[in-house]
Amino acid sequence: SMTALGAWQLSRSFQSQKLTEEKLASSLSMLNATLESTADGVLVTDLNGNISRWNQKFVDLWHIPEGLLNSQVKYPVTRHIASQIAQPKVFYRKVLKLYNFPQDSSVDKLQLKDGRCFRRFSQPQRVGDMIVGRVWSFDDITDQKKAEAALKESNRKLEIMSLTDGLTGIANRRHFDATLTQEIALHTRAGTELS
């Protein structure tokens, strides 16, 4: 028969286990909420590249077919992603390098065949001092890249406008002064005369 002390200890043990399970459930709930609320697509893998977690934004960015992630095997997902990238060999080399050097972090840009551009972040996942996997995040920067290109083109047009006469299209005094300064510097370095 169980003594009162034994029953009390068993009850305390069950209460402690229940509290631990509740804390774990709360932590997992917070992790899932954080993953789903981020604007980036997130993929978490183990050290071999096998998939352990992902968020819906990742699925949406890469147009992952339903069920492809459920196997949690890296190869079908990696092939699906690489099939969308303009330079898949560069993509594969970078992925392989990061798995060969798990302590490394990385930030780079991926140009997709459909014209989109993603920024890819990757860093080791640590538990204490031990690296247990890798976290990948993807951010769609297509609109940012388009805005940068439009700004660059606008600046180029403004530069042309500032160096030519608007009516005749002939180079103006500002263009003459800039060209003269360049030519003087060139002839001074070369030791030749300017005429």
Side-chain angles (χ1 to χ4, degrees):
S1 101
M2 184 178 280
T3 65
L5 179 60
W8 180 81
Q9 287 175 332
L10 187 59
S11 172
R12 294 281 296 162
S13 176
F14 283 136
Q15 288 174 351
S16 176
Q17 181 179 352
K18 185 176 180 185
L19 185 61
T20 301
E21 288 172 359
E22 286 173 0
K23 285 182 181 179
L24 179 60
S26 175
S27 293
L28 287 174
S29 174
M30 185 169 34
L31 172 64
N32 286 333
T34 302
L35 271 175
E36 291 305 329
S37 67
T38 183
D40 294 349
V42 178
L43 177 71
V44 182
T45 62
D46 66 16
L47 289 175
N48 296 316
N50 295 312
I51 299 165
S52 57
R53 298 192 84 74
W54 64 90
N55 67 358
Q56 187 60 43
K57 184 68 175 182
F58 173 78
V59 172
D60 295 343
L61 282 173
W62 290 106
H63 309 296
I64 304 288
E66 191 174 334
L68 189 62
L69 285 163
N70 291 338
S71 70
Q72 298 183 331
V73 177
K74 64 184 173 187
Y75 300 112
V77 175
T78 305
R79 277 194 302 269
H80 178 77
I81 290 171
S83 73
Q84 298 176 60
I85 295 177
Q87 295 181 325
K89 288 181 182 178
V90 174
F91 168 79
Y92 278 123
R93 273 198 303 270
K94 185 68 167 195
V95 169
L96 187 59
K97 180 180 182 238
L98 289 169
Y99 280 112
N100 285 332
F101 298 95
Q103 71 282 0
D104 288 357
S105 294
S106 171
V107 178
D108 62 346
K109 292 177 185 164
L110 302 171
Q111 186 65 47
L112 278 64
K113 291 176 184 175
D114 66 6
R116 293 180 297 158
C117 185
F118 292 171
R119 184 174 30 226
R120 171 178 59 181
F121 299 92
S122 185
Q123 64 184 28
Q125 178 191 9
R126 289 185 164 84
V127 173
D129 291 336
M130 191 167 76
I131 297 173
V132 296
R134 181 158 287 283
V135 178
W136 304 86
S137 67
F138 301 89
D139 180 20
D140 187 343
I141 59 170
T142 305
D143 291 341
Q144 177 185 336
K145 296 294 284 177
K146 286 179 182 176
E148 288 172 5
L151 180 61
K152 189 180 267 186
E153 178 61 17
S154 180
N155 285 339
R156 188 188 69 76
K157 286 179 181 177
L158 283 173
E159 180 68 23
I160 290 169
M161 287 173 56
S162 74
L163 298 176
T164 58
D165 179 84
L167 183 61
T168 64
I170 297 172
N172 63 17
R173 176 62 190 248
R174 173 184 273 172
H175 188 264
F176 173 79
D177 291 344
T179 303
L180 181 62
T181 302
Q182 289 174 345
E183 289 297 320
I184 289 172
L186 176 69
H187 287 278
T188 301
R189 281 193 305 271
T192 59
E193 294 181 15
L194 174 66
S195 57

